Amino acid sequence: MSTFEFPPSIRSRPVYCVLQARPGKAHLMIADAEGAEALIDLALRAPELMAKAHVIYIPKATDFGAALKALNPAQYYEGPSYSAAVSRIKRVFLDASMGLQIYLSGTEGLMGQALSEAMQAGYDHTAIQTEHRGSLARRMQCVHCKGITEDVSNDPFQCSHCGLNLFVRDHYSRRLAAFQGVCIDAEEPGNVPPSKELYS
Amino acid sequence: MTLQFNTETFRDDYSFHNSQRAIDRFPFPFHEDSYMYAVNMERHQGGPADSVYEKRFDVDEHYVAEMADRAKVLDDDPLRCQSLPHMTLAGWDLLELIMVSKSEEYPDFFELHREGREWYWINKPLGIEDHFTFMDDTTLPYGPMEYITRQTQGDFCVLDQREDNLWMDAGMVTTQADWSLDFDIGMNFFEWHAPVPLAHEKGIFKRALKFLLNIQQGAPARRLNWTMTVNPLLDTSPENYHKWGIQKTTLTSENIGAKQHLRVELQTFFRLPRSNALVFPIRCYLMSFQDIVSKPKWGRRLNRVVRDLPEELAAYKGFIANRPLMLDYLSQFDDGLPTSFGVWPDEHITPTLQR
């Protein structure tokens, strides 16, 4: 099962819902990995959306591409990574007219980055639906060097840029699409507790 | 008023010091012998003569040194000052508020001459004289918010008001109690306060927000907040925590009186006229434990507050590891006698320490 119930947390941490069909002139659906399953579930409940849907999908190491394509969206794109897909995503937001519905599903990193693009294009974040599926890994910003480390699934972890040992906070920036990582051994250099899987 | 500006540093050799006048006017934040979060707002319409509450923007002996420290922080990390594109008008509002206030309240230090939109600003302590056109960004060396807050003590958060909320959409933040403007910019009131323990559950932020949304032009408000800092370090930023965190481990029973500082924030709130934004200056006052206990009432009270503070708050404020050492020191200045209500030192009615 690709769903996970997140425990209650602080007010800056995003919360996710289950995608609901909403009336719209066009439907932009962006997903990665197991996020495909949320789109498939949505299409099962509301097959009429797909004739007006543009699906942008980043499979990562999963195999849902054929099933998504079989939903017959008006436009279907599969990209090797978010950074490869982002210029297309920006273009779609630029061209979008009133009445576009936006559906995001998959990992927190994918949803956060796509939401941040949508906000920059002028969409209100509260009007965008998000459904978490799959990996619990987070996109982390090192507060010290500002470098982003993708797919962090353990706490603490080592910053992939500056090498500091960081603990994983729940404090989240929508603008950066990242959680905050803060040095864990600043007051006792070298004293780093064993790394544990998030939510384990 | 004559004011001598200190030659001092807030880093490296830490030559920061408070004169007797600065000690006498320190905004001691505890009005009783215990502490818990409260909204604790009051009008910011003056205060006792020579207190930090008297002027809209207090200028004290640390002014010149604090501005030099701010310039150094910005050289090292320009992201400490940011303004989202829609906040430029609020920046001009803020520049006007500060220039008008300072030139009225400190005419010996600051002058503002206005001929229509052509303005002439003189800042004598910092040796700045600039002619510029009000509301024309190209006539100043920085954006309006950055220009004026490089000349004004305290951090500045400029909050946009929309959707019944306040949004941290611009700021100058170099003397912060461990929070990052670069990370928090664009967040709403509840989001940027998200990491604060206990206060959400007590409804503090809901009530505070309701109050702040209703602040009117010409009716600013203020409150105090506080934390602890080892060494008089202004820039206790998360960005540099991996550098300064280690300083917390340098306290000993011999040096604690000089090294451990109570850090008080005088937070004020002003509605800005054109943008309807709210500006939230956070002015930091530092005082060493040894200077605090020179006031017998403050010494007794600080011991009781630190001793009885809930664990979550001591952890959040970052001094839980040093609390035993602090209490070893402070308890020497608490003889158990009662203290008078209110924040003032009340030296004329306070008994000296009974040993």
Side-chain angles (χ1 to χ4, degrees), chain A residues 9 47 50 53 74 78 85 89 100 104 107 115 123 125 137 139 161 167:
Chain A
S9 182
M50 300 316 288
E78 205 171 288
I89 291 172
L100 176 74
L104 310 176
T107 62
L115 188 97
Y123 288 88
H125 72 92
R139 189 165 188 267
H161 302 265
F167 68 94

Side-chain angles (χ1 to χ4, degrees), chain B residues 24-297:
Chain B
D24 291 341
R25 70 200 295 274
F26 181 72
F28 188 75
F30 307 113
H31 65 276
E32 58 188 5
D33 287 354
S34 63
Y35 173 79
M36 182 35 75
Y37 288 126
V39 179
N40 63 305
M41 291 281 185
E42 61 178 17
R43 283 153 49 96
H44 183 45
Q45 308 269 26
D50 205 37
S51 73
V52 303
Y53 310 106
E54 185 184 11
K55 307 288 170 55
R56 282 168 281 184
F57 298 92
D58 182 46
V59 176
D60 69 7
E61 66 194 34
H62 308 297
Y63 177 51
V64 174
E66 279 190 40
M67 294 300 96
D69 194 73
R70 165 157 294 163
K72 177 84 177 89
V73 172
L74 290 169
D75 283 347
D76 293 346
D77 182 2
L79 295 174
R80 303 299 187 83
C81 179
Q82 296 190 47
S83 177
L84 297 182
H86 61 280
M87 297 303 283
T88 305
L89 180 62
W92 283 109
D93 277 338
L94 177 62
L95 174 143
E96 178 188 49
L97 173 68
I98 293 176
M99 286 187 177
V100 169
S101 302
K102 283 190 165 179
S103 58
E104 285 174 2
E105 295 178 338
Y106 297 94
D108 295 346
F109 293 150
F110 306 98
E111 290 177 30
L112 177 64
H113 304 278
R114 291 181 280 186
E115 294 268 336
R117 292 177 67 207
E118 300 310 309
W119 291 24
Y120 177 36
W121 167 248
I122 304 172
N123 177 336
K124 291 178 191 168
L126 296 184
I128 292 171
E129 288 189 35
D130 277 312
H131 292 272
F132 63 96
T133 306
F134 186 66
M135 302 281 267
D136 181 349
D137 296 2
T138 64
T139 60
L140 282 176
Y142 305 100
M145 177 190 74
E146 179 167 356
Y147 178 78
I148 197 59
T149 57
R150 277 176 177 266
Q151 302 179 43
T152 310
Q153 288 164 279
D155 283 347
F156 287 81
C157 302
V158 188
L159 313 177
D160 195 27
Q161 182 158 333
R162 57 180 196 272
E163 298 162 30
D164 284 328
N165 213 323
L166 294 167
W167 301 81
M168 175 86 70
D169 285 348
M172 166 67 90
V173 178
T174 67
T175 68
Q176 65 280 266
D178 207 5
W179 66 279
S180 167
L181 172 73
D182 181 51
F183 195 81
D184 288 0
I185 193 168
M187 290 188 190
N188 71 35
F189 190 77
F190 298 115
E191 291 167 344
W192 88 68
H193 284 119
V196 182
L198 302 178
H200 290 272
E201 294 83 340
K202 288 173 177 291
I204 298 283
F205 292 123
K206 261 189 193 158
R207 270 178 286 149
L209 177 62
K210 203 167 184 178
F211 181 92
L212 295 173
L213 290 173
N214 287 303
I215 284 186
Q216 304 293 312
Q217 252 193 77
R222 67 182 174 226
R223 69 187 290 272
L224 295 177
N225 196 10
W226 66 279
T227 188
M228 295 285 182
T229 305
V230 175
N231 292 326
L233 174 63
L234 280 177
D235 178 28
T236 47
S237 58
E239 278 83 354
N240 285 331
Y241 170 61
H242 60 303
K243 298 175 191 161
W244 60 261
I246 192 77
Q247 295 181 26
K248 292 199 216 174
T249 64
T250 61
L251 280 189
T252 64
S253 49
E254 285 72 44
N255 67 23
I256 186 168
K259 257 185 173 322
Q260 179 65 57
H261 288 69
L262 177 61
R263 182 185 192 105
V264 175
E265 295 177 353
L266 171 58
Q267 306 182 343
T268 51
F269 306 88
F270 299 81
R271 178 70 58 197
L272 297 175
R274 297 170 189 79
S275 56
N276 197 43
L278 195 72
V279 64
F280 170 19
I282 306 166
R283 172 68 179 277
C284 171
Y285 293 87
L286 292 163
M287 198 154 87
S288 66
F289 272 20
Q290 67 191 17
D291 285 343
I292 291 175
V293 302
S294 70
K295 306 287 187 192
K297 171 178 162 182

Side-chain angles (χ1 to χ4, degrees), chain B residues 284-327:
Chain B
C284 171
Y285 293 87
L286 292 163
M287 198 154 87
S288 66
F289 272 20
Q290 67 191 17
D291 285 343
I292 291 175
V293 302
S294 70
K295 306 287 187 192
K297 171 178 162 182
W298 290 354
R300 292 182 177 106
R301 179 161 292 168
L302 187 61
N303 180 56
R304 297 168 198 179
V305 169
V306 170
R307 183 189 65 204
D308 300 338
L309 196 73
E311 295 254 313
E312 294 102 308
L313 288 191
Y316 174 67
K317 290 179 184 288
F319 65 87
I320 196 146
N322 284 330
R323 178 147 71 171
L325 204 54
M326 288 176 169
L327 291 173

